[in-house]
């Protein structure tokens, strides 16, 4: 190196040292609060705060109000915030990489001038006032959100890390799904059979390349304490959420659980639980059921009678008989509410075995029908009493009570509400039978194996539709968009933003006295909202 070059190098080093020494150090970025970001995810993806308050925004200039899921940011900007250009409307990329840098020229038609980088304050102004960082008024399709102080902090915390961390259960190579099933105790064999069916469905999906090159994995937590006779000591659903699963599928349940609150808070969908008594959910519940619960069937029974025999229903009494407990009271309440909604006379309610049946009165003034829900012993008592007096009174009951030993010779007196499809509505189980043989799975508790198969099929379909950038919110949206999906083992499944029961209806069925099998005695009866 020459002496001149050496002096030049010394001079550059000296100048750089002076400049660096005088330069004011940049303030370290404020760390993102993980809890606040988690709560902000609920606002961004589901349009609801962690405290259950719906997100509210207004579309300019008419101030059209949007609330809840339709106001969720992810609805337009996508789960990763990268925007889209579909439907003729360009939605900008709002990920930190896009907003955190200045722009020297416009991109497409999203902005008509260059702009500086967004600061926290500028981003909040865009969200609440509809003004860009350069002062331009944002388009009319961008809601002006109403946020309190907590919601502002939470949404900004999530936006600062948007796209950096995927939802739980998502990795570059796997999608991890959970199931809360009994693996021990009296119901252990049933839970193990259901888990084997779900894993076999996942194995076939993985053999075909997985879901956008991600393999499906199933994690099962033993839920024997919550579905068996033992008292509740553990909550498998909570353990699964703590382990970090994307969603739950084919979990077994008798009814609502305390962990349903955590499912809602996390926004993690539970897809087609093996509900022992059917199911129902609020419009914004994360639980999607295959079949309606018993109170819904009571409503359907009233609707069916009203359609076919409304004049008689206005003159004759309808009796609701049950064996008590929460299930029985819910059955009676549903029938009473449906009658009131149609401005029909309220039903007479009886509880067995505490109250006696008015058989003498029924002999002279037979009721139009009796809606029964409860134990098999209670149904046996009711049918034997009618048989002893040879009373021509129709009994309607859930199909779970279609037990040949209970019905006996009273097959002509009782019709069962059956939502799984009979006759022309009966599913063709040929593919399911071939599936079981391919995976060397023996028939066991067939109803639950079929339910697990349907649940896994629905999950795979919804994940495929959600795309490579799947989130819990986008998975829920795709479940809501499912229409007439063929599970292969049930009538077609349809969900909706306000519909969490996939099969909205049933048929009336009777027990064949020679085969002991249910046969249809009516066409399909749709369940009205």
């Amino acid at each position: 190196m020459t002496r001149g070059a050496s002096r030049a190098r010394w001079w550059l080093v000296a100048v750089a040292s002076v400049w660096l020494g005088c330069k004011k150090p940049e303030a370290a970025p404020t760390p993102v609060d993980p809890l606040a970001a988690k709560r902000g995810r609920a606002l961004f993806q589901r349009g609801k705060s962690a405290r259950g308050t719906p997100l509210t925004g207004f579309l300019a200039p008419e101030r059209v109000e949007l609330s809840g899921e339709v106001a969720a940011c992810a609805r337009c900007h996508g789960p990763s915030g990268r925007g889209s250009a579909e439907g003729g409307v360009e939605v900008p990329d709002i990920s930190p990489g896009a907003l955190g840098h200045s722009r020297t020229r416009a991109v497409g038609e999203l902005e008509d001038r260059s702009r500086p980088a967004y600061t926290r304050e500028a981003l909040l102004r865009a969200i609440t006032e509809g003004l860009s960082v350069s002062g331009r008024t944002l388009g009319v399709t961008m809601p002006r959100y109403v946020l309190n102080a907590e919601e502002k902090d939470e949404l900004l915390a999530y936006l600062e890390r948007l796209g950096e961390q995927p939802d739980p259960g998502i990795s570059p190579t796997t999608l991890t799904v959970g199931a809360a099933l009994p693996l021990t105790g009296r119901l252990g064999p049933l839970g193990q059979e259901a888990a084997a069916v779900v894993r076999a469905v996942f194995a076939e999906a993985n053999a075909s390349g997985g879901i956008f090159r991600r393999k499906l994995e199933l994690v099962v937590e033993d839920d024997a304490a919550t579905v068996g006779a033992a008292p509740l000591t553990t909550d498998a659903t909570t353990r699964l959420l703590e382990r970090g699963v994307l969603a739950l599928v084919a979990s077994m349940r008798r009814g609502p659980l305390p962990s349903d609150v955590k499912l809602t808070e996390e926004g993690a969908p539970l897809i087609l639980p093996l509900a022992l008594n059917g199911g129902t959910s609020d419009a914004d519940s994360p639980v999607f059921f295959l079949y309606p619960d018993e109170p819904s069937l009571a409503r359907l029974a009233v609707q069916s009678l009203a359609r076919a025999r409304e004049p008689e229903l206005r003159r004759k009494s309808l009796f609701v008989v049950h064996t008590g407990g929460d299930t029985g009271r819910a059955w009676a309440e549903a029938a009473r509410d449906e009658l009131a909604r149609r401005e029909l006379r309220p039903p007479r309610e009886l509880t067995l075995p505490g109250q006696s049946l008015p058989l003498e009165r029924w002999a002279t003034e037979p009721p139009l029908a009796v809606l029964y829900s409860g134990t098999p012993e209670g149904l046996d008592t009711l049918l034997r009493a009618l048989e002893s007096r040879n009373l021509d009174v129709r009994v309607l009951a859930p199909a779970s009570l279609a037990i040949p030993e209970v019905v006996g010779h009273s097959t002509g007196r009782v019709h069962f509400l059956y939502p799984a499809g009979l006759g022309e509505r009966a599913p063709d189980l040929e593919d399911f039978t071939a599936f079981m043989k391919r995976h060397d799975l023996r028939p066991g508790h067939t109803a639950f194996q079929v339910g697990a198969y349907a649940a896994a099929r629905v999950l795979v379909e919804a994940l495929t539709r959600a795309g490579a950038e799947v989130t819990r919110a986008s998975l829920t949206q795709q479940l809501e968009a499912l229409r007439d999906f063929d599970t292969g083992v049930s009538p077609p499944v349809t969900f909706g933003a306000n519909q969490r029961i996939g099969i909205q209806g049933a048929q009336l069925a009777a027990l064949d006295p020679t085969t002991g099998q249910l046969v249809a005695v009516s066409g399909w009866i749709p369940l009205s909202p």
Side-chain angles (χ1 to χ4, degrees), residues 219-281:
V219 176
V220 180
E221 283 282 348
D222 189 358
D223 207 24
T226 64
V227 295
L232 178 64
T233 56
T234 58
D235 191 325
T237 297
T238 299
R239 296 198 301 272
L240 287 166
L241 292 174
E242 289 173 347
R243 290 181 64 170
V245 296
L246 172 61
L248 284 83
V249 63
S251 293
M252 190 178 298
R253 54 193 278 143
R254 291 189 186 276
L257 294 170
S259 57
D260 289 352
V261 174
K262 192 167 183 63
L263 279 174
T264 301
E265 291 175 350
E266 295 275 347
L270 167 53
I271 299 153
L272 272 56
L274 307 179
L276 303 184
N277 294 315
T280 186
S281 288

Side-chain angles (χ1 to χ4, degrees), residues 91-370:
V91 181
D93 184 345
I94 59 170
S95 63
L99 296 185
H101 295 85
S102 60
R103 196 159 63 199
T104 58
R105 56 176 180 160
V107 178
E109 298 179 359
L110 297 180
E111 190 155 2
D112 57 4
R113 59 179 67 92
S114 61
R115 62 155 177 81
Y118 270 86
T119 63
R120 188 179 174 90
E121 292 73 20
L123 183 55
L124 183 60
R125 188 169 64 247
I127 293 169
T128 59
E129 300 177 28
L131 294 175
S132 75
V133 66
S134 57
R136 184 179 64 89
T137 300
L138 298 177
V140 295
T141 57
M142 170 63 189
R144 279 58 168 166
Y145 289 101
V146 180
L147 304 170
N148 61 33
E150 285 180 305
E151 292 167 344
K152 289 176 182 177
D153 289 339
E154 291 165 356
L155 184 55
L156 289 175
Y158 182 69
L159 290 175
E160 287 178 18
R161 62 192 304 180
L162 180 61
E164 295 177 2
Q165 294 185 352
D167 274 4
I170 302 173
S171 80
T173 57
T174 60
L175 296 172
T176 302
V177 179
L181 290 167
L183 300 178
T184 57
R186 180 175 59 88
L187 298 178
L190 191 154
Q192 292 171 13
E193 290 170 0
V197 169
V198 174
R199 286 196 170 100
V201 173
F202 285 5
E204 292 197 349
N206 292 338
S208 300
I211 308 297
F212 292 92
R213 299 185 181 180
R214 291 187 177 112
K215 300 295 184 182
L216 282 168
E217 291 185 355
L218 179 69
V219 176
V220 180
E221 283 282 348
D222 189 358
D223 207 24
T226 64
V227 295
L232 178 64
T233 56
T234 58
D235 191 325
T237 297
T238 299
R239 296 198 301 272
L240 287 166
L241 292 174
E242 289 173 347
R243 290 181 64 170
V245 296
L246 172 61
L248 284 83
V249 63
S251 293
M252 190 178 298
R253 54 193 278 143
R254 291 189 186 276
L257 294 170
S259 57
D260 289 352
V261 174
K262 192 167 183 63
L263 279 174
T264 301
E265 291 175 350
E266 295 275 347
L270 167 53
I271 299 153
L272 272 56
L274 307 179
L276 303 184
N277 294 315
T280 186
S281 288
D282 295 332
D284 59 351
S285 170
V287 185
F288 292 78
F289 290 96
L290 183 59
Y291 297 118
D293 63 355
E294 289 189 1
S296 298
L297 293 177
R299 289 181 48 237
L300 183 131
V302 172
Q303 291 174 8
S304 174
L305 290 169
R307 292 187 191 110
R309 305 172 68 182
E310 183 173 341
E312 292 179 83
L313 194 56
R314 293 189 179 278
R315 299 194 312 268
K316 294 185 177 182
S317 298
L318 183 66
F319 275 78
V320 176
V321 180
H322 58 84
T323 53
D326 292 342
T327 301
R329 286 188 288 271
W331 172 267
E333 183 179 358
R336 189 182 307 111
D337 290 348
E338 187 64 31
L339 286 165
R341 190 168 74 94
R342 295 173 176 272
E343 299 181 348
L344 298 170
R345 62 196 303 180
R348 305 287 182 88
E349 183 178 348
L350 293 173
T351 304
L352 298 177
Q355 296 174 278
S356 59
L357 297 168
L359 299 179
E360 292 184 3
R361 180 179 176 183
W362 286 1
T364 57
E365 298 180 39
L368 180 64
V370 173

Side-chain angles (χ1 to χ4, degrees), residues 36-46 158 167-168 266 472:
K38 182 178 180 180
R39 291 171 174 169
R41 182 178 68 194
L43 285 167
F44 183 89
Q45 294 192 354
R46 298 191 291 117
Y158 182 69
D167 274 4
E266 295 275 347
R472 284 171 169 171

